[in-house]
Amino acid sequence: LNFQSLSNQFSPQIVEAIQSGKITIEGHPNRVQLCAIFIDIVGSTEKVTHIPAEQVANVISEFLDVCIKLLLKYDLTIDKFLGDGIMAFCNAPLPRTNYVERVIHAALEIQNYFKENQKKFQKNWTTPLKLRIGIAEGSALVGFYGHDKYFKTYTALGPVINKASRLCSAAESEEILLDKNVVFFASGSFGY
């Protein structure tokens, strides 16, 4: 395997797990309890039709750069980019006892970063850049999916992923919506 090529395509956690033999590209997906997060820019669909493409590209690039750095800081595995959104999860391929708290900390830090740096983004976005976030915890099948001949991706499948996506879609501007499992896990750590 060319690990340099892999490191450009996968989160560092996945590359490390492949290098150490904890997971293989040929292996079957495993059922894992994980915490999933979706992050989306509010109102971007309308925005991309009204501002120059270069300005959109600058904002999306900076948004993804900040999110990636902060998600990786808390050991989240970045699953995919969805235009102006990003999906990630924690507890696979590297298990973490505090996987829910890691996702919450990452979400709060991302939300705070964008609130504190509005002026930086507003010159390209022309209005305040607002995010919405959905977080869910539950069981998922995690591993490499795809076809050996064409392409494989390391991803998670299951209701928890759909729930995090729906929570993100339902969230108001600058809101983080949590499912009941996340609230239960967070109640001890965050004093709710």
Side-chain angles (χ1 to χ4, degrees):
L1 285 175
N2 180 339
F3 287 108
Q4 181 58 42
S5 175
L6 280 178
S7 67
N8 293 332
Q9 296 176 33
F10 298 113
S11 290
Q13 301 92 325
I14 298 167
V15 175
E16 188 278 326
I18 293 169
Q19 286 177 316
S20 66
K22 293 176 186 161
I23 62 171
T24 66
I25 292 176
E26 294 79 26
H28 294 290
N30 297 315
R31 188 164 302 281
V32 179
Q33 285 297 120
L34 57 77
C35 190
I37 180 171
F38 272 79
I39 307 164
D40 186 40
I41 298 175
V42 176
S44 61
T45 304
E46 302 82 36
K47 187 64 76 172
V48 300
T49 62
H50 294 96
I51 61 175
E54 185 179 336
Q55 288 177 225
V56 173
N58 289 341
V59 170
I60 299 298
S61 178
E62 181 74 14
F63 161 74
L64 292 175
D65 184 56
V66 169
C67 288
I68 290 166
K69 285 177 183 169
L70 292 174
L71 292 169
L72 292 177
K73 173 183 173 181
Y74 290 97
D75 270 343
L76 274 71
T77 299
I78 296 162
D79 188 321
K80 60 182 63 82
F81 305 111
L82 308 149
D84 67 328
I86 188 167
M87 179 211 163
F89 55 84
C90 193
N91 210 30
L94 304 176
R96 300 286 185 232
T97 55
N98 61 343
Y99 64 99
V100 174
E101 289 87 351
R102 286 173 179 268
V103 174
I104 294 170
H105 284 296
L108 291 171
E109 197 163 331
I110 288 167
Q111 193 74 284
N112 287 336
Y113 178 89
F114 284 93
K115 283 180 182 177
E116 292 170 4
N117 291 277
Q118 279 301 317
K119 287 190 174 120
K120 178 179 180 180
F121 294 97
Q122 196 161 337
K123 67 179 182 179
N124 279 314
W125 205 240
T126 69
T127 57
L129 182 77
K130 308 283 186 173
L131 305 183
R132 60 178 165 218
I133 300 174
I135 303 175
E137 191 279 341
S139 175
L141 287 173
V142 182
F144 284 95
Y145 289 90
H147 192 280
D148 291 333
K149 187 175 174 184
Y150 301 108
F151 181 75
K152 282 194 170 186
T153 184
Y154 186 84
T155 191
L157 302 175
V160 65
I161 304 303
N162 297 337
K163 187 184 286 186
S165 175
R166 286 193 311 271
L167 287 168
C168 181
S169 295
E172 297 292 329
S173 179
E174 297 189 319
E175 188 173 51
I176 300 172
L177 285 185
L178 314 174
D179 79 346
K180 65 180 180 181
N181 290 355
V182 174
V183 172
F184 172 78
F185 277 99
S187 61
S189 300
F190 292 89
Y192 295 122

